[in-house]
Amino acid sequence: MPAGGAVVSAAQRALADELADAAGAVVRRYFRQKIAIDDKADTSPVTIADREAETVMRRLIEARFPADGILGEEHGTVRAGADQVWVLDPIDGTKSFISGIPLFGTLIALLHEGRPVLGIIDQPISRERWRGVVGQESTHNGAAIRTRACPTLAAATLFATSPDMFQGADAAAFARLKSAAKLTRHGGDCYAYGLVASGFIDCVVEASLKPYDYCAMVPIIEGAGGIFTDWQGKPLGLHSDGRVLAAGDGRVHAAALTLLAG
């Protein structure tokens, strides 16, 4: 089983790609179509595309690995105590999806004993797929990728999906980080993390996230040579507090941690 230097099985890697393929087929069918948009209890939007894409992925997992747990954004959790748990976000960036902006993605993670060991970011419109597996180099459409060197925050490009995700002390912390960065941009959702892994962005900082928003990115960032932790520098897992920091260069990560801590 994966963890402690062991490998993710070929069957698990193959299923992850199959999940992304199946979800992408659903998402493409609904993209830029006139579909109903519902509001969840937290006022975030959800569509038939989100629900159907997660449903097809869950069916495949149940058929191949019925003892594994599943945590999905739209349809909840089953077998949460299993050693192996699949974490699914069928459309990370639903606000972009409903606006016709192709900067969302399907997120698929496999966790072993609470730690992400496999991750996929799949952009079904541009047909881009980032894959990370513990102990292996991360890839973009099958080609190995690396983060880029960046010696200081003063030279760094910083991304966050929206400034609205930072409230209270978190907003002040983000303001400190933004003031130190060379360039700050908003938007991108999961796509920005793929660009960190590919060496086009230096840092992503976010807050108020759920496990299905960040677990898939952990093996991708780390397998490309980057660092992805919470705001205290601790490893990310199911029980992290939703405040995350990804950086391609350890020097930028360390400097960002200092500023976030005040």
Side-chain angles (χ1 to χ4, degrees):
M1 307 301 287
V7 298
V8 176
S9 74
Q12 290 167 331
R13 296 195 301 271
L15 177 59
D17 279 322
E18 192 172 344
L19 298 179
D21 290 343
V26 172
V27 173
R28 282 190 294 273
R29 191 165 70 247
Y30 291 112
F31 184 59
R32 292 183 181 167
Q33 301 301 308
K34 303 299 184 182
I35 58 176
I37 301 166
D38 300 321
D39 290 325
K40 300 182 188 179
D42 64 359
T43 73
S44 63
V46 63
T47 72
I48 188 173
D50 301 78
R51 297 186 180 110
E52 282 193 13
E54 183 171 320
T55 294
V56 298
M57 290 192 287
R58 295 175 81 105
R59 286 175 180 163
L60 287 167
I61 295 168
E62 294 285 3
R64 306 293 175 78
F65 295 103
D68 287 0
I70 305 174
L71 187 163
E73 180 175 10
E74 308 306 337
H75 299 306
T77 304
V78 295
R79 298 179 294 277
D83 286 346
Q84 308 274 107
V85 178
W86 296 86
V87 180
L88 309 173
D89 190 345
I91 300 179
D92 181 75
T94 300
K95 292 177 181 177
S96 289
F97 173 78
I98 63 176
S99 303
I101 300 169
L103 289 180
F104 55 88
T106 296
L107 300 180
I108 299 160
L110 176 63
L111 277 61
H112 178 73
E113 296 181 348
R115 292 285 295 129
V117 294
L118 178 154
I120 282 181
I121 303 169
D122 188 73
Q123 211 309 310
I125 308 305
S126 60
R127 308 286 182 132
E128 293 179 273
R129 184 171 300 174
W130 286 268
R131 183 190 296 104
V133 178
V134 64
Q136 299 181 17
E137 285 187 308
S138 295
T139 61
H140 173 253
N141 287 355
I145 52 174
R146 296 294 293 176
T147 61
R148 69 183 180 188
C150 184
T152 66
L153 274 170
T157 297
L158 168 69
F159 261 67
T161 295
S162 170
D164 297 337
M165 61 174 42
F166 305 103
Q167 301 295 322
D170 288 354
F174 177 70
R176 291 192 296 270
L177 188 56
K178 180 179 179 180
S179 67
K182 178 179 182 179
L183 174 66
T184 300
R185 301 290 296 167
H186 295 296
D189 295 286
C190 60
Y191 200 85
Y193 294 88
L195 294 175
V196 170
S198 292
F200 294 99
I201 293 174
D202 301 296
C203 186
V204 179
V205 61
E206 302 199 301
S208 308
L209 301 187
K210 302 295 184 184
Y212 43 73
D213 294 316
Y214 59 78
C215 282
M217 278 79 97
V218 175
I220 296 170
I221 297 291
E222 292 179 350
I227 304 174
F228 193 21
T229 70
D230 69 10
W231 285 16
Q232 287 74 50
K234 297 176 183 177
L236 292 167
L238 288 176
H239 303 295
S240 300
D241 67 6
R243 298 185 296 171
V244 306
L245 171 64
D249 190 307
R251 294 167 292 184
V252 167
H253 187 270
L257 282 180
T258 299
L259 287 176
L260 291 171

